[in-house]
Amino acid sequence: EAQLVESGGGLVQPGGSLRLSCAASGFTSSSYAMSWVRQAPGRGLEWVSGISKSGNKYDVDSVKGRFTISRDNSKNTLYLQMSSLRAEDTAVYFCAKGYTTYDGVFDIWGHGTLVTVS
Amino acid sequence: EIVLTQSPATLSLSPGERATLSCRASQSINYYLTWYQQKPGQAPRLLIYDASSRATGIPTRFSGGGSGTDFTLTISSLEPEDFAVYYCQQRANWPLTFGPGTKVDIK
């Protein structure tokens, strides 16, 4: 069964850094596009960063220059390196797997990891 | 950035009733529209992709339609487990964007 498990969230001060991890099992994550999507407390979903199967990377403007998405194929793991964190980055961060060959459609999601910037 | 608006914000219905949710894009997105369902404390669940294609395992009571800028998600007869928040999302352009959501609650 395909599964994603995020880790690395926690409490960090404004201006600090954090690295989120997303371990994939039951499938080879390098064969799919992968993304990070966040949800602030009581709010809607916001796509943050994505990486295509070929390695192209995309970010929402609000995190450009501060967040970096990457993947370690040998560990079947996706990462989000976050720096210069702001209060408005406080959210549950989900990683999500692309649906077959469809970039931007997500069929498997992790349970999320909470990042609190305060 | 493509902005998605959803209406209504809240839909109060009874089990067995038909639900019709709308999503409008700020510019044409062809058919590149996805619908997700989210329940409290859970991750989103993929329902419909490319406007009208049901994802694997999604019941036939869920259907999607539309193209260009106007889309709908229809739940033909609400089951108790369908009361949740529904989000639309476009993949026509980067950055990917989500609508603000429609909450379907029990009347």
Side-chain angles (χ1 to χ4, degrees):
Chain A
E1 179 189 0
Q3 191 175 4
L4 296 168
V5 178
E6 303 95 336
S7 60
L11 176 64
V12 61
Q13 292 183 340
S17 298
L18 214 53
R19 188 179 80 157
L20 306 184
S21 299
C22 171
S25 60
F27 70 100
T28 303
S29 62
S30 61
S31 297
Y32 299 91
M34 301 287 294
S35 276
W36 289 95
V37 175
R38 67 185 177 184
Q39 187 167 36
R43 306 294 295 272
L45 300 169
E46 179 185 33
W47 176 84
V48 175
S49 293
I51 184 166
S52 71
K53 180 180 171 182
S54 59
N56 293 324
K57 300 178 184 180
Y58 306 89
D59 302 301
V60 69
D61 281 352
S62 60
V63 309
K64 277 188 165 76
R66 301 189 300 122
F67 291 11
T68 302
I69 190 170
S70 63
R71 65 203 316 172
D72 184 335
N73 295 337
S74 68
K75 295 183 178 180
N76 213 19
T77 298
L78 179 74
Y79 300 101
L80 186 67
Q81 179 67 49
M82 305 185 295
S83 61
S84 303
L85 282 161
R86 307 167 180 165
E88 55 264 35
D89 296 319
T90 294
V92 173
Y93 285 73
F94 297 99
C95 68
K97 167 189 165 291
Y99 182 51
T100 63
T101 58
Y102 294 89
D103 277 357
V105 178
F106 307 114
D107 64 335
I108 304 294
W109 296 66
H111 56 85
T113 187
L114 177 62
V115 172
T116 303
V117 185
S118 177
Chain B
E1 171 176 314
I2 295 174
V3 177
L4 299 178
T5 55
Q6 293 186 243
S7 61
T10 303
L11 195 53
S12 296
L13 295 169
S14 301
E17 289 194 294
R18 182 184 189 88
T20 302
L21 288 66
S22 295
C23 177
R24 175 165 287 178
S26 59
Q27 64 188 76
S28 177
I29 57 171
N30 202 339
Y31 55 88
Y32 298 122
L33 195 283
T34 304
W35 291 96
Y36 298 91
Q37 175 195 69
Q38 188 181 33
K39 297 179 181 179
Q42 296 185 15
R45 174 194 182 197
L46 174 64
L47 297 176
I48 302 285
Y49 63 97
D50 286 358
S52 61
S53 296
R54 262 188 305 277
T56 304
I58 300 304
T60 56
R61 65 180 182 271
F62 291 93
S63 62
S67 65
T69 61
D70 292 295
F71 301 87
T72 57
L73 173 70
T74 301
I75 310 171
S76 60
S77 178
L78 283 163
E79 296 288 339
E81 61 268 28
D82 299 335
F83 292 92
V85 179
Y86 293 83
Y87 294 96
C88 58
Q89 176 238 315
Q90 64 81 22
R91 68 179 187 99
N93 286 352
W94 300 98
L96 307 180
T97 50
F98 287 87
T102 290
K103 182 179 182 180
V104 179
D105 66 13
I106 300 176
K107 187 174 182 180

